Structure formats: C-alpha cells, structure tokens
Amino acid sequence: MTATTDGSTGAVGPRAAAASEPTDTTTAAAGDLLVAARRATARSVEHLLGQQDAQGWWKGDLETNVTMDAEDLLLRQFLGVQDPRTTEAAGLFIRGQQRADGTWATFYGGPPELSATIEAYVALRLAGDSPDDPHMKRAATWVREQGGIAAARVFTRIWLALFGWWKWDDLPQLPPELIFFPKWFPLNIYDFGCWARQTIVPLTIVSAKRPVRPAPFPLDELHTDAGAPNPVKPLASVASWDGMFQRLDKLLHAYHKVAPRRVRRTAMNAAARWIIERQENDGAWGGIQPPAVYSVIALHLLGYDLDHPIMRAGLESLDRFAVWREDGARMIEACQSPVWDTCLATIALADAGLSPDHPALVKAADWMIAEEISRPGDWAVRRPELAPGGWAFEFHNDNYPDIDDTAEVILALRRVRHPAPARLDAAVERGTRWTLGMQSRNGAWAAFDADNTSPFPNRMPFCDFGEVIDPPSADVTAHVVEMLAYEGMAQHPDTRRGIEWLLAEQEASGAWFGRWGVNYVYGTGSVVPALTAAGLPVTHPAIRRAVRWLESVQNDDGGWGEDLRSYREEKWIGHGASTASQTAWALLALLAAGGRESAAVERGVAWLAETQREDGSWDEPYFTGTGFPWDFSINYHLYRQVFPLTALGRYVNGEPLASGAISRKGS
C-alpha cells in the first residue's frame, strides 16, 4: 500500500486539475447538461426545504426489516399489552413484505433469510393468520427446508424461549456476573460495541431469569422434527476459537445451576442499575429499539410494574419508533436519525447554493447546536480525561455521541452564517477537541469508542447477530479527516496519522471498504473527498487508482450501484442496480478528484437529472445503509435526497472550499 501522502516526495501538495478543458465539440452538450443539472438542483432544493420540521431538523424514515415489527408484537404479547389496532397494522405491514415464495428478506431484492422468516411467521400467527393459509404454508415449508428453528440465530430462539417454543437450556448462556468484570478483563461489557453492550446487559438478566409465558399456539410446523427439535451437533475442535467458546458455554450452563443466589441477585441488581442509569430523557436506551425492548423485559422480570415511571417512559418511547403508513400498516424503525439527516441536509442545501444565512440553514444550525452533548458517556471509560463534546445520531442519546455525526455536524455548521458566531464556534471547537481525543491507537477513528477492537466478543456463541465490536473504519476516519482539514488542521499530527491509515487501507483495486454504507462505493466516495480536502494532489497515485476503479464499475446507464451481497461475494463488489445515493457518492469522489469534465461525471450527472421525479426527489427502494455489514441493512429514506443534491450542487457550483461554500478556520 502507499506509504506516503504524496505521489513522490512525501510533501502534501496543492489541489491540481486532473481533467482537461472540454473541446469545442463537447461544449454544447456540456452546456445542456449544466442547464439540466441546475434545474434538477433547484427542484431538489425546493423539495428538501419542504421536508424540514418547524424546529429546524430533518428526519427520513429508517427502514430495516420485519424482525423489528415481529419483535414488537412478541414484546406486547409477553407483557400482555397487545391491542387489536396495533396488531392488525403490524400484520398488514409484515404480510406486505412477504415474497412470492413465502419468505422474508432483510433488504430489498436480497435472498430469503431464515430468522426473519421465522419471526415474521410467528408474528402473523399472533396477528391471527392460520398455519393453513397458503402464504403461511409456503413460509413454514421453506423454514423446515432450511433446518427449522434450530438453524435460526440466537436472538430468534431467545424470543421463542420466552413462550416455551424453545428450551432455555438449548441457548448460549450469558451470566449477569459479567457486569462485575473489570474494564481490563477480557469480555468485560466495554469490550463490546455500544449497541451490543446495551443489548447484552439486559439480556444477562433475561438469561438468568429464564421466563416462560404461556404459548398461545404450538409451532411444531417450524421444526424439521417436532419430537427432536434441536439435533445434537458435534463440538468444534478444542484447539479452535469456536471449540473453546463452546466448551466455555457448557461451563456457564453448569454454573447457572449452582450460582450462589446472593451473588446472582447482586449481579442482576447491578445490571439493573447500569440499565436505569442509561435511560435517556425520552425513555429509550441508546436511541435504538433493541436495547429498549430488552431493557423493558429485564426490568419487568426484576419486579418493575408496567406503571412504574421508568417502564412507562420505556414503553412510550417504543411507540415513537412506529411509522404509520397511509394504507394503515405500521412499520417499526430500529432507530431514528434526525441529527445525521439534518447535518447532511444542511451540507446538501449549502453546497447547492443556498445562502449561508438562509433561514432554513440558520434554524438547522440552531437545532444542531442545541443537540450538542455536554456530559460524559460510556466512551469515557477509555478516555476518562477527555472533556465531553460532539453529537449523537438520534434525538436523545447523550450517553453515546457519534464520531461520524460529530464530524459531519461540524462540516454542516461551518457552512452556515450564524447570527451568533461565537456560540457556533464554541460548539465546533468542543466537538473537534472531543473527536481528536477519540482517535484510536492506530491513527483511525471508529463510530462510538476508541480502541474497541477486542478479538473475543465476536467469538462468543451468543453473538451471532452481527458485528459486536466497533473497530475504526475508513468511512468514519475519512469524515473526520475531511472535517479536520476544513478546520485548518490538515497538517496536525493526528490528521496526518489518519491520512496514513487511510492510504494503507486502500484495496488493491483502488477502492475503500464501506463500514456504515454500501459498500466500496460508499467507502471510496467518503475517502477521496477527505484526502483532497487534506491537500493530497489529485495526481496522487491513491486518488488515481480510486478514480480508475469508480470509472470501471460505472453502470451502462451512467449511474452507480452496489448490492449488499458485496459484503459476502466478491462478484458483487461495485456492482448492482443504479441508485441515487450511490451514484452521488461516486460523483462526490470523482468531482473531488478533479474530474468535473470527465465522461464518467457527465454520465452520472445526466443519470441523476434524468431519473429525478417531478417533485424533485428520487426513487430508491434499495438499501444503501449499513448497521452491521450484511447482517443488518438500512434504507435511509433521506439518502435518496441529500446525497444527489450534494453531488449536483458541487457539479454546478464547484467544491465547497474552493467555491466559498464553507468557511475554513484559520484561512
């Protein structure tokens, strides 16, 4: 990999144009394209402005998969708080997501997924669908063909164990005594990523209590053999990680039978205190649905009545994850993204040419400044001396500010001419200081924690639901480097370490892996603008390799797309149906690399202009966001709007720093 930040001498040079001026024969066509791009930009600006909330924020729907909806119904059944209207609406949504073969997928156009299909099937049984209905028979047949419930993920089997449809003895054990592990000890709770940590702590209580509610119906039709639903599987080799953790799990099961009552009770009470201390002002936990669900269950098992203020606030917060659709269906969001959506919308509108003091931008800046987090959170476990600052992803998540959001919020705020500049500057300076302090030892940045890279959590039999640690990623590191560069810190030693890490992480193809967006198109679309903002010349070998890769994967229609299967199968890398957001990511990289006049950019801009809807938006059923690569995918409904507008704006108006769209500190 490239070891220096310059193509030859090691010094960072100025931006340079990599593309030549258009010839006379292309001038007319380029002029027509510019007119079309300006028209598309204006329509998109109008559409996006119309979506802003009166308080200044934007929030698009965050669509995931039907397990959110199924587990919401299972929770209501477990707590005895189900109601006909909610059940009917959830059933309508889940039924509408079923495919012709009877299965459910976890992303649009994806393959059928066993656990999602099982949970959706059970939810429809709760909604009143008969196992003899044709759509239910198709689902059950497919589940049995895939190995039945025994082949499902651990979390699915936990939900079934709550009703006696699965044995607790046949689940991995997760003891609440985990809460006692010191922070230096392997597999302490802070070795897990924040999303996993918030889920695992309440589940240790559930695992210890092993509750069983009366099952409203049997599920024999989902077993390959109802008489032996969990066939014995041989253990992996004792010399392997899997084999070691499987045997450790057997020891934990044995300990569960003899655990001293006083020790266990003390552990569960300590876990409960940990949970309660992290409940947010809106009643949720971490701003995401799964920890809220399991926290409510855990506290209820410890005797908290549903009318207790903590429980009441938690249940009310879960209702706020519901999106009621015009057809009467009810979709559950796994999370809500107002801070992320608002900073991206602000960047898009500013780069599209909206005046920096436009009321919409000032109102957005006011809202973002008010959302700054001013108290320590779990991140302080590894950074105890670091002063708080930064922003989270959600409305309320003060315990877990997000490095990615913080970088983008700062980039957004710098695009606004605020009537109280000192207030804005102070928030930016605190956020910048906090971000620098969250750099990992290798020079890069993760999303929530520093140095959250233990190799052990992902090995646990319990953790089969996706990524459970938070290592640094190219996309987050790129956004931080870009922000630091625009803050006049391109030569800061920490910025240089981040750049060196990014250069070392470039794939042989020229692309970068995308952790929080799909996938190499997102990673590359994030890194190239960061490197050029930090001063790498567009002639740098790493930039040219990235450009060649993007040009090589452009679709025949002029757009870009990458299927989520690229996380699993090499043949999908850089390939998939064209989408508005992924086309925009590719364009942002190519524009930053000096390719405004290139054929690839012109074809991409033309695709965006041609596929725009009359109302100024774009259609995008494909999932281009990532929670856990492959295991949990997201369709951010605002991505189809903010990223195309940003790309069109930069095509029309130039790069934000060069065009004066962003104020650079120290310049």
Side-chain angles (χ1 to χ4, degrees), residues 580-581 618-621 635-644:
S581 58
W618 283 265
D619 282 322
E620 187 165 288
N635 183 345
Y636 291 98
H637 284 205
L638 213 65
Y639 272 20
R640 66 192 69 171
Q641 189 66 33
V642 293
F643 287 114

Side-chain angles (χ1 to χ4, degrees), residues 8-76:
S8 53
T9 64
V12 176
R15 282 180 191 259
S20 61
E21 291 296 317
T23 64
D24 291 341
T25 57
T26 64
T27 302
D32 291 343
L33 180 60
L34 184 58
V35 169
R38 284 175 174 158
R39 183 167 54 246
T41 301
R43 292 163 67 183
S44 180
V45 165
E46 183 178 0
H47 180 81
L48 188 56
L49 286 174
Q51 293 181 295
Q52 187 179 26
D53 185 83
Q55 297 181 51
W57 48 264
W58 280 267
K59 189 194 85 65
D61 289 350
L62 193 151
E63 181 183 355
T64 54
N65 65 74
V66 296
T67 62
M68 297 294 103
D69 311 272
E71 291 169 11
D72 183 76
L73 283 190
L74 285 162
L75 172 68
R76 292 170 184 276

Side-chain angles (χ1 to χ4, degrees), residues 160-243:
L160 300 184
L162 292 174
F163 298 95
W165 288 316
W166 193 256
K167 292 181 180 180
W168 284 104
D169 280 339
D170 291 343
L171 284 165
Q173 185 65 24
L174 198 65
E177 288 83 356
L178 195 69
I179 198 75
F180 294 142
F181 285 11
K183 300 176 182 65
W184 53 264
F185 195 81
L187 292 176
N188 75 85
I189 60 173
Y190 298 102
D191 273 356
F192 295 85
C194 71
W195 58 88
R197 179 187 317 146
Q198 296 170 92
T199 301
I200 284 171
V201 171
L203 278 176
T204 64
I205 297 172
V206 178
S207 180
K209 287 287 191 178
R210 297 188 170 192
V212 177
R213 296 289 189 267
F217 42 77
L219 284 178
D220 292 350
E221 69 271 22
L222 297 187
H223 295 300
T224 55
D225 180 356
N230 189 25
V232 177
K233 297 177 183 177
L235 296 178
S237 167
V238 70
S240 67
W241 281 111
D242 287 345

Side-chain angles (χ1 to χ4, degrees), residues 280-298:
E280 295 290 336
N281 291 339
D282 67 344
W285 282 267
I288 48 181
Q289 190 252 18
V293 166
Y294 298 120
S295 294
V296 165
I297 293 175

Side-chain angles (χ1 to χ4, degrees), residues 245-264:
F245 275 98
Q246 287 169 353
R247 288 163 177 82
L248 174 61
D249 184 63
K250 286 187 173 295
L251 290 175
L252 292 175
H253 274 277
Y255 172 75
H256 173 79
K257 297 176 181 178
V258 299
R261 290 185 179 181
R262 185 175 179 182
V263 173
R264 175 132 292 186

Side-chain angles (χ1 to χ4, degrees), residues 52-57 358-368 416:
Q52 187 179 26
D53 185 83
Q55 297 181 51
W57 48 264
H358 189 284
L361 298 187
V362 173
K363 188 181 292 185
D366 278 333
W367 185 82
M368 286 186 284
V416 181

